[in-house]
Amino acid sequence: MRHWIVATAFLAAGALGAEAQCLAPSNQAALTASVEEGVNEMRQAAGLRPYASEARLAQAAQGHACDMAQNGFFGHQGSNGSNSHRRVQQTGFRTCLTAENIAWGFRDPARIVSGWMTSPGHRQNILLDRADSAGVGVAEGADGPVWVLVVSRRC
């Protein structure tokens, strides 16, 4: 099975579209909590404070995971042209900094975090000292789970 991971950071805005029905794993809460825990372990090992779990960031992450899974694409730009910064703003979270990691095909949360940590862009987002909050989303796609980590700094 192929696995893909991509990282990006945005300080600009885009547009957020309506969310449709989404197939999430039955153990979604445990999976996303495990990814958040792994990310925070990496931050603490680097001497950084852990990210606070933020429901609106998780909502933005879940929306993008669903969009990618439902529409069969893998990228940071949403099917409606949105970017991560705009998706976070649409949840009502007042963000001054937004960064996003995505992954596809991984079933084990620990492998996602370790994969992100071996990639410079992903590692940079996980260890982003200017960000203070995070949220994770996961949706079932045709070729396996689609994951999104959104980190942000509140304005």
Side-chain angles (χ1 to χ4, degrees):
M1 172 179 279
R2 293 184 298 174
H3 297 116
W4 296 92
I5 54 177
V6 179
T8 191
F10 285 103
L11 298 174
L16 178 68
E19 292 181 30
Q21 295 281 337
C22 179
L23 180 59
S26 60
N27 59 343
Q28 175 185 16
L31 291 171
T32 57
S34 183
V35 169
E36 281 190 32
E37 182 180 315
V39 164
N40 280 332
E41 286 173 5
M42 296 298 110
R43 290 180 59 77
Q44 289 177 310
L48 299 169
R49 293 175 55 169
Y51 285 133
S53 183
E54 168 54 56
R56 290 170 292 183
L57 297 181
Q59 178 185 348
Q62 187 63 38
H64 190 51
C66 288
D67 184 23
M68 288 189 288
Q70 291 170 327
N71 293 299
F73 73 95
F74 183 72
H76 291 286
Q77 183 175 1
S79 62
N80 63 359
S82 65
N83 65 38
S84 60
H85 191 81
R86 184 66 178 151
R87 290 188 292 269
V88 167
Q89 287 180 323
Q90 289 292 311
T91 70
F93 188 88
R94 193 161 170 240
T95 181
C96 290
L97 170 74
T98 305
E100 177 179 83
N101 286 0
I102 60 177
W104 157 57
F106 291 88
R107 297 225 175 258
D108 178 6
R111 291 195 60 212
I112 295 163
V113 174
S114 67
W116 282 336
M117 289 301 288
T118 62
S119 166
H122 298 99
R123 180 181 181 85
Q124 180 179 348
N125 288 346
I126 288 173
L127 302 179
L128 192 59
D129 63 347
R130 297 179 303 156
D132 56 22
S133 304
V136 177
V138 60
E140 288 293 345
D143 295 320
V146 179
W147 297 85
V148 179
L149 166 69
V150 175
V151 301
S152 184
R153 184 184 78 226
R154 190 180 313 270
C155 290

